[in-house]
Amino acid sequence: MNIKLQQSTLQKQSKIAITGSKSESNRLLLLQALYPNISIKNISNSDDATLMQKALQSADSVKDIHHAGTAMRFLTAYYATRNGQEITLTGSSRMQERPIKILVEALGQLGADIQYTNNEGYPPLQIKGQQLQGNLVTLDANISSQYISALLLIAPTLKNGLTLTLNGKITSVPYINMTLSLLNELGVETNFEGNTITVAKFEATNEAKTFTVESDWSSASYFYSLIALSGIGTSIELSSYKQDSLQGDSCLAEIYTKFGVETTFKNNTITLTKTHEATQETITLDLKNAPDIAQTIAVTAFGLQLSCEMIGLHTLKIKETDRLVALKVELEKLGASVDITDASLYLHKASTINKNISIATYKDHRMAMAFTPLALRVPLQIEKADVVSKSFPDFWRDLENIGIEMTEI
Ligand SMILES: O=C(O)C1=C[C@@H](OP(=O)(O)O)[C@@H](O)[C@H](O)C1
Ligand SMILES: C=C(OP(=O)(O)O)C(=O)O
């Protein structure tokens, strides 16, 4: 399905309820498999969370988690601990290009039996579950925090808990803190100081424990962008959000003040309002803690005809696509000039935005969603638009409801 977006104007005031965070959901689903007294409210309806649930529930020996990075990494650790169970864990062709060696070797230090089916260092994996021994693991922390979260999630079920020593610069730290906070909420003792994380053993209890997932902040980014590209006074209310979020992408509230958007928190909702014009000609950001909002921000800056320098983007090359290359190619089709390195992107100030450009999405939900707000400036097309379901299946319906005019082609 491709979508043609007419040049549109957002409703002056609107309301949306965004689905639960896929990051929180997939952590809680894994914890629920380990501690069945857990129940989960406002769980994400994303493909990634649905695939995680299916994999955990099905008795099949082959588990296919498609594009879901968290499911791939968290389930690798989980099945390595399932004594007597043998499974193959696989994913989409892109998933088979996303590295997993650091996690496999870390689990190997605990005695896990994991073999590569095709290419060393990449899924599919053949996992023979067993009771893991040992409690000390050292691993590189600069490639993906998901390897660390995967180990932390199984840590309280290990005989002596776990001590992780992290090598190198730690990336995507808020996602590690989210994992630790959820463990703490369950009652698990943890400590994170410098480059060492410890997790104590924790026994299952019968006491019911309910977690309520906060709505997804990465998904909220597209509404921040829409408001930034709208006229002064335009606002949207998004539920259900908290000021003390576990999600690092809640830094959007501060970042978007630079684009003229103010956020107010009230009764579990946030209201985003365009209150002023952008305050600077060049927006400079380090996104090592919030990699998933890089595409949204680059497109907002382009739409507002600002220049933008983003660093800390070293993880973008191994996500759903090489997001640095994808951003450069698609922004340049629209008339931008973009310089990239392995870890940064520089968008030069644009003087025009080309009309009726067809945006390729590279099997990456965030490419489709990040470019859509440009419909407030020019008509454009989004190719393979159903890709959004990885994290936000209701995206197109919600956008139509707030005034974005579109037709399927
Ligand atoms: O732990 C998580 O839920 C996630 C961690 C981040 O990945 P990296 O740690 O690989 O950057 C992020 O990009 C991803 O969307 C979700
Ligand atoms: C990178 C992402 O997801 P994952 O790594 O979990 O596939 C994302 O949602 O932007």
Side-chain angles (χ1 to χ4, degrees):
M1 170 185 88
N2 294 344
I3 282 188
K4 196 176 164 77
L5 298 165
Q6 274 88 275
Q7 192 176 339
S8 310
T9 306
L10 217 58
Q11 285 169 16
K12 194 91 177 145
Q13 284 184 334
S14 49
K15 265 188 192 180
I16 298 278
I18 294 180
T19 191
S21 152
K22 80 173 166 73
S23 291
E24 287 182 38
S25 297
N26 278 3
R27 283 163 173 74
L28 288 168
L29 285 167
L30 194 95
L31 288 174
Q32 188 181 48
L34 296 169
Y35 297 101
N37 58 320
I38 290 178
S39 57
I40 312 170
K41 284 189 178 157
N42 194 35
I43 194 161
S44 164
N45 68 358
S46 65
D47 287 355
D48 281 16
T50 309
L51 288 159
M52 179 87 178
Q53 262 166 306
K54 266 200 196 148
L56 286 165
Q57 279 162 10
S58 97
D60 295 351
S61 63
V62 178
K63 318 268 182 192
D64 184 348
I65 50 70
H66 301 213
H67 299 305
T70 48
M72 185 72 215
R73 281 71 181 259
F74 299 170
L75 291 175
T76 297
Y78 174 74
Y79 284 111
T81 65
R82 298 292 90 193
N83 206 3
Q85 213 177 330
E86 232 182 286
I87 65 121
T88 301
L89 191 56
T90 190
S92 62
S93 55
R94 176 60 181 170
M95 189 54 66
Q96 299 186 27
E97 296 170 353
R98 296 182 69 184
I100 195 151
K101 195 174 188 169
I102 291 173
L103 176 59
V104 169
E105 287 185 348
L107 288 163
Q109 293 173 44
L110 298 170
D113 184 345
I114 305 175
Q115 307 297 325
Y116 300 109
T117 310
N118 299 339
N119 296 323
E120 191 186 324
Y122 299 90
L125 303 176
Q126 224 162 333
I127 306 175
K128 274 191 199 161
Q130 59 193 294
Q131 206 175 16
L132 299 182
Q133 306 298 325
N135 67 335
L136 299 177
V137 168
T138 301
L139 77 164
D140 288 341
N142 59 342
I143 306 295
S144 170
S145 69
Q146 293 182 16
Y147 308 142
I148 297 160
S149 287
L151 293 160
L152 296 175
L153 288 166
I154 59 157
T157 68
L158 302 178
K159 265 200 280 186
N160 297 307
L162 186 65
T163 298
L164 292 182
T165 304
L166 308 179
N167 284 337
K169 270 200 188 142
I170 310 171
T171 199
S172 301
V173 173
Y175 290 99
I176 299 175
N177 288 330
M178 174 193 289
T179 309
L180 293 173
S181 297
L182 292 172
L183 288 171
N184 295 155
E185 216 174 312
L186 180 62
V188 181
E189 281 175 33
T190 67
N191 187 52
F192 185 4
E193 248 178 272
N195 68 338
T196 307
I197 308 181
T198 55
V199 178
K201 181 177 170 51
F202 183 73
E203 300 286 353
T205 63
N206 290 327
E207 195 195 329
K209 178 88 202 159
T210 304
F211 287 83
T212 303
V213 175
E214 186 188 9
S215 289
D216 197 271
W217 273 96
S218 322
S219 302
S221 74
Y222 312 110
F223 299 97
Y224 272 94
S225 189
L226 284 161
I227 293 294
L229 294 172
S230 292
I232 304 256
T234 312
S235 72
I236 188 164
E237 195 180 299
L238 307 176
S239 59
S240 303
Y241 289 95
K242 316 189 263 202
Q243 206 150 6
D244 57 343
S245 177
L246 302 182
Q247 298 168 55
D249 286 357
S250 58
C251 64
L252 280 163
E254 200 196 321
I255 290 175
Y256 269 76
T257 58
K258 297 179 198 288
F259 293 120
V261 182
E262 290 298 333
T263 306
T264 48
F265 290 81
K266 197 177 163 194
N267 304 333
N268 285 340
T269 65
I270 50 175
T271 303
L272 325 183
T273 308
K274 176 83 177 185
T275 54
H276 54 278
E277 297 306 339
T279 50
Q280 297 151 14
E281 283 277 292
T282 304
I283 308 290
T284 306
L285 294 166
D286 182 344
L287 290 179
K288 66 175 178 303
N289 285 335
D292 293 357
I293 56 176
Q295 290 146 295
T296 317
I297 291 168
V299 175
T300 308
F302 173 67
L304 288 172
Q305 294 173 288
L306 302 171
S307 55
C308 177
E309 183 179 19
M310 293 189 283
I311 60 166
L313 305 182
H314 53 285
T315 62
L316 262 60
K317 295 187 91 62
I318 56 165
K319 298 213 183 276
E320 284 78 337
T321 185
D322 179 338
R323 288 180 170 167
L324 289 162
V325 171
L327 269 175
K328 177 175 166 67
V329 172
E330 300 310 310
L331 283 167
E332 290 191 341
K333 279 168 40 183
L334 287 155
S337 164
V338 177
D339 303 323
I340 53 172
T341 68
D342 276 355
S344 70
L345 181 143
Y346 189 88
L347 167 76
H348 296 265
K349 186 175 160 59
S351 48
T352 51
I353 304 178
N354 297 332
K355 287 186 183 152
N356 297 315
I357 300 298
S358 186
I359 302 295
T361 50
Y362 305 77
K363 297 187 179 154
D364 182 358
H365 53 144
R366 302 207 188 282
M367 285 302 287
M369 297 189 283
F371 279 82
T372 295
L374 288 179
L376 299 178
R377 290 283 186 278
V378 290
L380 75 163
Q381 283 175 35
I382 304 290
E383 296 171 17
K384 312 255 168 67
D386 24 19
V387 72
V388 301
S389 63
K390 182 179 194 285
S391 62
F392 194 174
D394 301 323
F395 180 75
W396 297 114
R397 184 204 65 194
D398 287 349
L399 261 72
E400 212 162 13
N401 284 342
I402 62 173
I404 303 295
E405 294 172 56
M406 60 185 85
T407 40
E408 264 184 48
I409 50 169

